[in-house]
Amino acid sequence: MSRKVAVIGGGPAAVSTFLHLTRVRDIASVCFIAPNDIGCAPAFGSGGPMLLCNTSVDVTSLRPDGTSELLSYLAARGWPVHREDFVPRYLVTQYARESYLRHRAAAERDGVKVGHVRGRARSVSGHPGDYRIGLEDGTAVDATDVVFALGGAVPRLPASLRATATAPRLLTSPYPVRRLRAVPADAKVLVLGTKLSAIDAALTLCRAGRRTVMASPSGRLPAVRTRLCRDTAAGLGREWERQLADGADGAEAAAMARPLIRLIRTLSGGEPLRPRLSDHTDAHERLRHETQLAEAGQVPWQDTIAEVIDGLNHALPDQPEPVRRQVLATHRAAMSRYISSIPLDNARRLLSHLDAGLLTVADGCPERIDPHPDGWTVTWPDGRTEHIDWVVCATGFQVPALSVAPDGRLHIGEPAAPGARAAQVTPGLRVHRGPDHAQERMWAVGSAAGTRVPVVNYLRAAAQHARDVGRILDAEATAS
């Protein structure tokens, strides 16, 4: 069987998929369906030299095993880079784009046809080995196999802003950051969110002197780290798998922290963990303390993060949905702060803006955000009102949902018909429409697998998925 593979998506996850597909023996063609140039993604392509990756070079690679390809790529071009470094994001786009072009040329020399349809896929119909992918412009692409490599495309707007999503002084996303630079320098800006995309927005806005307020339900900024590397192999995933063998109530889910704490104490020479964590409740002072801890090398937890992500992604996909929900609910706050912690250089920049009075972090979210001709009136929980010139929504992105209509057609995006149900992603990353359908030849990688895999906003996870899908296809080709 000569496969015609359609890859829906065009960012780094899609490029990683392509690299692994080039090793499959019976691929006749690969067609990307994506609106932009292959290898480009809004977050990775933004910000110039000042916006850094939140992961070290060691785990930022289109291939998950061995030495980081990004490290080799940068070293070959004269960059004085170390595996622990956090590099500017635009370099990841360059690396992904050049990797795609190089492997495309090699695949075409081997007789594989590689195409790119500029558009958005909206549906998949047909059956395994004979799919038809419908695009939003009414055209279609035929494929034997489909890989969903979709990143977050649609901003996740708070309910308070959905009715005013087209207001002229609202940016529904901080990306591309050139839109932030167009905000007047004397503007006062409310950034909704305190996590990674919100920090990108705050750094960009404050750099030009714009007064900025960050607000989120938690009012908490991420923790601070100096590296994120593959430095431990303590078997956390296998240990958690054993712990979850009989299910997970609240106590069992909480107990998953014990082997991790033991590992962190080992890394810190047996010293207690508590002095290496900040107990400040004020976001400004907590950032100051955590920056000091990172500068002093007192953040042993950071050397476990890569294994924690791998371990969660190993142990949880096979668990029933209630177990996955229980574990994630139990540990959500810690995962949000520590897995998504920020590089020390970005923490220093944030701290300088806080100290200068350009940036403030609110204790919680506004109760109301009302538009008016000159901007916005923000009402805070204590009854105080404040005039804001611009609002930037930095509360994350929604990966287009995969749903199945009653006629069996798979829809990409909002359910297109009453009675639609969610498509299922299996532990093996196959996308299933339901029990009435044969085993599908559709797979999800990266963010598209987020209904099954707990940590997907991470290039290493997407590359692991792409590797695994490539291995499945190659094994099938060998068997046939």
Side-chain angles (χ1 to χ4, degrees):
M1 174 182 178
S2 294
R3 301 176 190 271
K4 298 189 297 182
V5 182
V7 178
I8 300 176
V15 176
S16 180
T17 299
F18 178 57
L19 267 58
H20 289 89
L21 287 176
T22 60
R23 297 183 173 182
V24 178
R25 303 161 203 228
D26 63 349
I27 300 289
S29 67
V30 177
C31 179
F32 290 90
I33 303 172
N36 301 316
D37 288 344
I38 304 304
C40 301
F44 277 119
S46 299
M50 297 302 292
L51 287 189
L52 304 177
C53 292
N54 290 298
T55 56
S56 293
V57 168
D58 183 60
V59 294
T60 308
S61 176
L62 298 170
R63 297 192 190 276
D65 304 312
T67 301
S68 165
E69 274 197 348
L70 178 59
L71 178 64
S72 302
Y73 170 87
L74 294 174
R77 285 153 182 78
W79 280 82
V81 66
H82 186 274
R83 64 189 287 266
E84 297 180 359
D85 292 344
F86 302 94
V87 299
R89 290 188 206 166
Y90 74 89
L91 293 175
V92 178
T93 293
Q94 289 183 6
Y95 155 60
R97 178 68 179 166
E98 290 184 24
S99 293
Y100 161 67
L101 293 173
R102 186 173 69 255
H103 285 85
R104 173 176 180 158
E108 290 176 334
R109 286 194 299 270
D110 291 337
V112 178
K113 183 179 179 181
V114 182
H116 176 200
V117 175
R118 288 183 180 269
R120 296 186 187 279
R122 290 304 186 207
S123 67
V124 181
S125 58
H127 54 82
D130 186 18
Y131 293 115
R132 171 152 287 194
I133 301 159
L135 277 62
E136 64 182 357
D137 65 0
T139 61
V141 173
D142 293 331
T144 61
D145 301 77
V146 180
V147 181
F148 296 96
L150 299 158
V154 180
R156 184 181 291 113
L157 291 180
S160 59
L161 287 178
R162 289 172 194 161
T164 55
T166 59
R169 294 194 181 193
L170 170 66
L171 297 180
T172 58
S173 164
Y175 307 117
V177 295
R178 63 176 177 272
R179 299 196 301 168
L180 298 173
R181 298 190 186 111
V183 173
D186 61 349
K188 186 171 186 178
V189 184
L190 171 66
V191 174
L192 294 174
T194 54
K195 295 182 182 176
L196 300 180
S197 61
I199 287 169
D200 287 350
L203 290 173
T204 302
L205 292 164
C206 291
R207 186 182 176 203
R210 301 175 186 91
R211 294 164 297 152
T212 302
V213 180
M214 301 176 74
S216 72
S218 71
R220 303 174 76 184
L221 296 168
V224 183
R225 61 186 171 212
T226 63
R227 59 180 174 263
L228 196 170
C229 296
R230 297 166 290 174
D231 283 338
T232 65
L236 289 178
R238 294 188 299 276
E239 176 68 19
W240 289 336
E241 202 170 33
R242 286 193 292 271
Q243 287 181 299
L244 296 174
D246 298 320
D249 58 20
E252 290 164 334
M256 290 176 65
R258 292 173 188 160
L260 174 58
I261 292 170
R262 288 197 298 269
L263 175 58
I264 296 172
R265 290 194 65 178
T266 298
L267 293 172
S268 60
E271 295 295 322
L273 178 58
R274 180 61 61 185
R276 291 165 173 78
L277 302 175
S278 178
D279 58 2
H280 285 281
T281 56
D282 176 76
H284 187 168
E285 293 308 312
R286 189 170 196 172
L287 179 65
R288 188 188 311 283
H289 187 201
E290 291 185 327
T291 299
Q292 292 168 347
L293 288 170
E295 289 173 334
Q298 296 297 307
V299 282
W301 54 264
Q302 69 181 358
D303 293 323
T304 70
I305 295 299
E307 185 175 358
V308 166
I309 297 172
D310 285 353
L312 290 170
N313 287 351
H314 170 81
L316 290 187
D318 284 318
Q319 299 299 322
E321 185 178 354
V323 173
R324 299 199 305 271
R325 276 203 310 265
Q326 178 67 65
V327 170
L328 296 177
T330 302
H331 298 287
R332 181 167 284 114
M335 289 172 64
S336 177
R337 290 211 73 239
Y338 294 100
I339 287 180
S340 299
S341 50
I342 60 175
L344 176 58
D345 283 349
N346 279 353
R348 287 168 171 156
R349 293 184 186 114
L350 272 182
L351 189 58
S352 70
H353 296 318
L354 285 161
D355 288 342
L358 276 176
L359 177 64
T360 56
V361 180
D363 289 335
C365 274
E367 287 195 346
R368 293 179 58 90
I369 307 175
D370 298 307
H372 58 75
D374 297 324
W376 302 81
T377 297
V378 175
T379 305
W380 296 97
D382 61 5
R384 179 173 49 91
T385 62
E386 184 176 10
H387 172 79
I388 291 289
D389 298 305
W390 285 75
V391 173
V392 178
C393 182
T395 50
F397 295 87
Q398 302 175 57
V399 176
L402 303 179
S403 61
V404 184
D407 65 0
R409 187 182 302 265
L410 186 148
H411 290 271
I412 304 165
E414 292 300 317
R421 63 183 186 277
Q424 299 298 310
V425 178
T426 72
L429 303 174
R430 285 186 193 262
V431 177
H432 274 299
R433 286 179 284 181
D436 296 334
H437 295 266
Q439 178 169 271
E440 304 282 7
R441 303 201 57 78
M442 298 189 287
W443 288 267
V445 303
S447 296
T451 57
R452 174 65 65 171
V453 182
V455 184
V456 292
N457 189 20
Y458 178 54
L459 181 55
R460 174 170 164 78
Q464 289 169 327
H465 300 164
R467 175 201 63 198
D468 293 347
V469 170
R471 286 175 176 173
I472 292 169
L473 292 177
D474 195 47
E476 291 178 352
T478 301
S480 62

